[in-house]
Amino acid sequence: MKAGKSIYLFLIPGLILYLMFFIYPTLSALFYSFTNWDGLTADFDFVGMANYVEIFTKDSIFKKAFVNNLEFMLFVVIFQTLFSLVFALMLTKNSTASIFLRALYFFPTILSSVSVAFIWTYMYDPNLGLINKLLDLANLEFLTMNWIGDGDIAIYSISAVQVWFHTGQMLIIFVAGLQGIPKDLYEVAKMEGANKWQTFRKVTWPLVAPAATIVVAYTTIQSFKAFDLIFAMTRGGPNYSTEILATLIYNTAFRSYRFGYASAESVIFMIVIAIITFTQMRLLRSRA
Amino acid sequence: MKLKNYLIMIVVLTFVFLAACSAGSDEASGSGDGEKEISFIHWRGEDKEVFDELITKFEEENPDITVEMTIYPSEQYQSTAQTQIRDGEVGDVFTSFPGAQFKIMDKAGLMEDLSGEGFLDNFNKDLIEAGQKDGKQFAVPYQLVFNQPVYNKGLFEELGIEPPNDWEGFLAMNEKLKENGYTPIAFPGADIGAGQLMNSMMMNNAPDEEIFTKLENGETKLTDEWWVKTLTQFKELADKDYFQKDSLGTKHDGAIALMAQEKAGMLASGSYAMASIKEQNPDMELGLLAPITVSADEAEYEGIHTTTFMLAVNSNSDSKPEAKKFIEFLSQKENAEKYANETGQHLTVNDLEYESEELKSTAHWMEKNTRFHPRYLISSADIQKAVEASIQAVIGGQDPEQAAKEAQQVVDQFVE
């Protein structure tokens, strides 16, 4: 029982890794955000708050990317949570069919983002793509669209891919939550004469709420940081309609070579994610 | 004693680890048995086969050198090459696009000065200027490309169409193609389309070759007549359905397929796409044309050219002599001819004999009054993107003046 102070030594490896891979890069980004470093040469000047001022006063693309990010996040959070909950409700039992379908829905999660992006880019292709071809075949030509080439809908088309990609993962969390609900509660509800909707509202939902909070929190952060799908499918186009903060920061750093400015964008991005995470944590605690 | 044993074990393991690392680095540079391995990186996936053959020949002629070729997709190459080349582990010989990428690589000091190298005499001096900075030759452009629409010669002959020399004629030509059931222009709007067609669309609207330098200095604006007119003409092409349906969702491969299937009369990319079209449809006869956006008497330029695929030696390389030897090999007449004829590319190398039909039929463009690719003269990647985005905006339905205004907002961010 007497481990003594030496027990803290076991924290050192983890602490070193945390300092190296989180604290140091974070502080570096903060430091460089006050410079005009180009990322290529060793020279840079301190520019004070100039990068931040430019972002908030002159950078119209940053604002556009931020709004796109919010739209992307809302679409993904709403539909991913909804679909994963509905599928989980249908697949809670451990029957052979349910287990097979759960595995099937989980399958996209194990694919690489780039593969998913390529598959969907071809499916969305207006001339050769499967989606418009199927709509044509079904005499639903009026529904055919320029899925990722039309600036008004491109961000939602990619959001739909993100939902398809990760719904299976969230479904597993919901299934775990649903399977933890005691069966007696359903029997009592049945004896009390509750219908299906009342049973869901009064029994299932309150008890699956902690799982729902985890799903919402995780999906929110995941969708805010989405980079790979957008980068591989549209690179932020057309006309910045799918540009989100993560792709914008990448372009600023690795195409424009404005590392100082990209660092300032990253710091703001980090603060936004921290606020969202904090809000989610508060929600999680209030449900516990 | 126990502590002592542990210490000895840690010291031994550390030495083993360091030895393994050092052995690994030896292996990576390929320096065993006096053999040197050089890394060659570029973005031309379609040239892999011919480069494989040339590399085999080079290795036979230079048994002490091996070449490891790595090819990246061009978009990826533009955004990641600099970072990979910087530490000197890859890209002893690398390629660069002219313009923004060349400037960034030069700024980072990644390119060895090649001035005075004997192999430079193998190149046409007028065509390798894009690789020069302050009178020094840092990179050698290898390909000579015409960045203007490719057209289906057979179809044009069948319909009795001659490439026009003014804007009215260009519109009439598109209308005729459309009336006959063809997509006039296959436009790869999802990737390279805007960045390619903009060059020939603006060349006569803004004949001043310094126009983008002036834009970056604040001496002209995208809201000025030259760019608003260019955007208005792009919108006219889109509104009249001269581009294929949903053109902003079509990538270059898709547009090439439309052209090769003879569904489209023109492909809005450049001469570099001709080999891919011919691969899919060997019977097609292809030519080059450029939209003249003014009246015939106002036109100054007939087309657009670029000298690109600029070969450079990594200044951080441990194998600079071997890297230079490889560039020299590529510049030799016999090897350059093989590359040109098998890839369908004109080269900047002197006195080549072109055998392929496309190269022969487009060789006369070298004598025409063509202008250097204006987009490559935009040094800021952000401004380049804003300019292209304004084209996508008008094709997507936005008013040209509004699109120009929004793009100028981005430019203003960078103008002091």
Side-chain angles (χ1 to χ4, degrees):
Chain A
M1 288 296 286
K2 275 191 173 181
K5 287 180 182 172
S6 61
I7 199 163
Y8 291 107
L9 292 174
F10 288 98
L11 296 175
I12 289 173
L15 187 65
I16 290 171
L17 290 175
Y18 184 71
L19 287 169
M20 273 172 64
F21 295 110
F22 181 74
I23 299 295
Y24 174 70
T26 306
L27 291 178
S28 290
L30 189 63
F31 171 80
Y32 285 117
S33 74
F34 299 112
T35 72
N36 63 356
W37 187 43
D38 61 10
L40 293 165
T41 55
D43 306 326
F44 57 80
D45 298 313
F46 282 96
V47 294
M49 296 295 288
N51 289 332
Y52 292 95
V53 172
E54 189 176 331
I55 289 171
F56 288 115
T57 59
K58 290 172 89 177
D59 196 338
S60 54
I61 306 304
F62 187 87
K63 290 185 193 88
K64 210 175 235 185
F66 186 73
V67 171
N68 287 342
N69 228 146
L70 287 178
E71 288 179 13
F72 185 82
M73 183 194 77
L74 280 173
F75 185 99
V76 173
V77 168
I78 292 168
F79 287 100
Q80 193 162 296
T81 308
L82 198 68
F83 286 145
S84 52
L85 178 60
V86 170
F87 289 145
L89 286 167
M90 293 192 292
L91 303 172
T92 310
K93 284 181 188 166
N94 282 331
S95 64
T96 314
S98 289
I99 292 168
F100 171 75
L101 286 172
R102 267 185 249 153
L104 194 69
Y105 291 140
F106 190 76
F107 177 72
T109 310
I110 64 171
L111 297 174
S112 79
S113 312
V114 178
S115 309
V116 171
F118 275 117
I119 292 167
W120 279 90
T121 301
Y122 278 105
M123 298 223 321
Y124 276 146
D125 189 288
N127 301 299
L128 314 164
L130 183 71
I131 295 178
N132 280 356
K133 284 246 167 15
L134 287 177
L135 289 168
D136 274 344
L137 283 174
N139 285 328
L140 296 170
E141 202 177 282
F142 64 97
L143 286 178
T144 61
M145 288 186 206
N146 187 4
W147 299 99
I148 53 175
D150 180 344
D152 293 333
I153 60 164
I155 193 79
Y156 302 110
S157 302
I158 301 179
S159 306
V161 179
Q162 175 88 352
V163 170
W164 175 84
F165 195 11
H166 293 293
T167 293
Q169 197 181 353
M170 301 305 143
L171 180 149
I172 299 300
I173 298 173
F174 272 126
V175 167
L178 288 167
Q179 287 182 339
I181 300 174
K183 300 237 177 346
D184 331 6
L185 295 176
Y186 289 108
E187 283 166 20
V188 171
K190 202 174 176 182
M191 285 165 63
E192 296 285 337
N195 62 26
K196 280 191 175 176
W197 171 242
Q198 286 168 325
T199 307
F200 176 77
R201 255 190 67 200
K202 302 289 183 186
V203 180
T204 309
W205 179 245
L207 292 171
V208 85
T213 313
I214 293 168
V215 167
V216 171
Y218 187 69
T219 306
T220 305
I221 296 167
Q222 190 187 44
S223 59
F224 227 85
K225 287 160 66 180
F227 169 82
D228 33 18
L229 278 183
I230 289 182
F231 192 72
M233 290 178 79
T234 61
R235 291 184 185 260
N239 189 23
Y240 304 105
S241 60
T242 58
E243 193 84 86
I244 61 167
L245 292 177
T247 54
L248 181 70
I249 291 167
Y250 178 86
N251 284 332
T252 309
F254 296 104
R255 289 206 70 157
S256 306
Y257 287 88
R258 302 176 73 211
F259 269 69
Y261 193 79
S263 299
E265 289 175 330
S266 304
V267 169
I268 295 168
F269 182 48
M270 192 174 68
I271 291 168
V272 170
I273 291 189
I275 291 169
I276 290 168
T277 312
F278 179 74
T279 313
Q280 301 287 356
M281 293 292 283
R282 291 281 301 253
L283 272 172
L284 188 66
R285 283 203 194 108
S286 70
R287 290 199 186 278
Chain B
M1 280 300 284
K2 260 187 171 179
L3 184 66
K4 195 178 165 189
N5 286 342
Y6 280 129
L7 282 172
I8 290 168
M9 200 167 81
I10 288 166
V11 170
V12 169
L13 284 173
T14 308
F15 274 108
V16 168
F17 176 72
L18 291 174
C21 289
S22 99
S25 66
D26 275 356
E27 204 175 313
S29 64
S31 58
D33 301 331
E35 196 177 281
K36 278 265 188 182
E37 180 180 288
I38 56 170
S39 155
F40 171 42
I41 64 169
H42 64 90
W43 66 83
R44 293 272 310 172
E46 55 272 63
D47 298 352
K48 183 183 180 300
E49 211 171 302
V50 65
F51 268 129
D52 280 339
E53 289 172 27
L54 286 169
I55 286 168
T56 305
K57 188 180 171 206
F58 175 77
E59 289 173 347
E60 281 166 9
E61 289 175 16
N62 300 275
D64 53 338
I65 308 173
T66 55
V67 180
E68 179 67 30
M69 177 170 67
T70 312
I71 305 171
Y72 301 91
S74 72
E75 281 276 322
Q76 189 189 338
Y77 193 86
Q78 286 195 54
S79 51
T80 61
Q82 295 86 305
T83 319
Q84 298 189 46
I85 292 161
R86 192 165 39 181
D87 61 10
E89 279 190 18
V90 296
D92 297 296
V93 178
F94 64 92
T95 49
S96 165
F97 288 93
Q101 190 177 48
F102 174 72
K103 281 180 188 159
I104 283 166
M105 289 187 169
D106 171 59
K107 191 176 177 188
L110 297 177
M111 295 178 289
E112 181 77 357
D113 181 9
L114 301 174
S115 309
E117 294 292 339
F119 59 74
L120 291 180
D121 295 337
N122 296 344
F123 292 89
N124 180 332
K125 286 196 170 35
D126 295 334
L127 294 178
I128 58 173
E129 285 173 4
Q132 291 170 1
K133 176 83 192 295
D134 300 329
K136 292 178 179 172
Q137 191 80 44
F138 287 104
V140 195
Y142 196 49
Q143 296 179 352
L144 172 64
V145 169
F146 296 101
N147 308 78
Q148 58 202 38
V150 177
Y151 75 97
N152 182 339
K153 267 188 171 176
L155 177 65
F156 273 42
E157 276 167 25
E158 190 187 311
L159 298 177
I161 301 173
E162 278 289 319
N165 58 2
D166 62 9
W167 183 240
E168 291 308 315
F170 188 72
L171 292 177
M173 177 187 78
N174 280 285
E175 191 58 37
K176 190 157 192 182
L177 284 163
K178 192 180 148 190
E179 278 170 3
N180 282 280
Y182 296 97
T183 295
I185 306 169
F187 183 75
D191 45 31
I192 64 168
Q196 293 297 296
L197 190 57
M198 65 168 267
N199 301 292
S200 49
M201 288 286 285
M202 64 158 285
M203 68 184 178
N204 286 308
N205 290 343
D208 180 358
E209 294 203 66
E210 297 291 309
I211 193 77
F212 281 123
T213 310
K214 288 181 178 170
L215 178 72
E216 291 182 300
N217 292 338
E219 292 170 46
T220 185
K221 288 180 183 293
L222 292 174
T223 47
D224 289 347
E225 202 257 342
W226 63 276
W227 188 247
V228 174
K229 182 184 175 189
T230 305
L231 290 181
T232 306
Q233 289 171 321
F234 261 108
K235 188 163 166 50
E236 191 174 3
L237 295 178
D239 288 349
K240 289 182 169 167
D241 294 331
Y242 294 158
F243 297 137
Q244 79 280 13
K245 187 171 173 270
D246 300 334
S247 62
L248 291 179
T250 307
K251 295 202 172 197
H252 194 212
D253 287 343
I256 286 176
L258 284 176
M259 185 71 182
Q261 290 161 16
E262 304 202 42
K263 290 179 181 168
M266 288 172 276
L267 168 69
S269 56
S271 58
Y272 51 88
M274 292 168 100
S276 301
I277 299 167
K278 288 286 280 185
E279 202 178 322
Q280 292 180 37
N281 186 347
D283 299 329
M284 266 181 100
E285 213 183 321
L286 301 169
L288 293 168
L289 63 82
I292 304 297
T293 54
V294 292
S295 60
D297 57 324
E298 283 176 301
E300 278 192 36
Y301 297 103
E302 295 171 278
I304 296 290
H305 77 267
T306 315
T307 49
T308 183
F309 201 68
M310 307 207 294
L311 298 161
V313 172
N314 191 336
S315 58
N316 297 317
S317 167
D318 292 330
S319 312
K320 287 174 198 162
E322 291 78 11
K324 287 175 186 173
K325 209 172 227 181
F326 184 60
I327 296 180
E328 184 181 7
F329 171 83
L330 293 177
S331 74
Q332 287 164 0
K333 189 172 183 288
E334 185 188 350
N335 303 322
E337 274 174 358
K338 180 179 173 62
Y339 177 80
N341 288 313
E342 291 190 21
T343 60
Q345 305 292 328
H346 292 285
L347 298 189
T348 55
V349 177
N350 286 323
D351 306 323
L352 297 188
E353 281 168 31
Y354 296 115
E355 287 167 8
S356 96
E357 278 307 313
E358 280 63 50
L359 291 177
K360 278 184 192 170
S361 67
T362 53
H364 67 280
W365 277 92
M366 289 192 223
E367 313 303 324
K368 292 199 180 203
N369 186 21
T370 57
R371 169 174 170 175
F372 186 80
H373 197 293
R375 189 176 59 102
Y376 280 143
L377 299 173
I378 307 175
S379 64
S380 157
D382 295 279
I383 294 179
Q384 211 175 83
K385 193 169 177 181
V387 166
E388 290 174 36
S390 66
I391 296 169
Q392 293 174 331
V394 293
I395 293 174
Q398 199 174 25
D399 172 61
E401 287 191 5
Q402 182 59 28
K405 196 174 149 193
E406 286 180 13
Q408 183 57 39
Q409 271 183 343
V410 178
V411 177
D412 288 340
Q413 196 185 331
F414 297 95
V415 176
E416 291 301 324

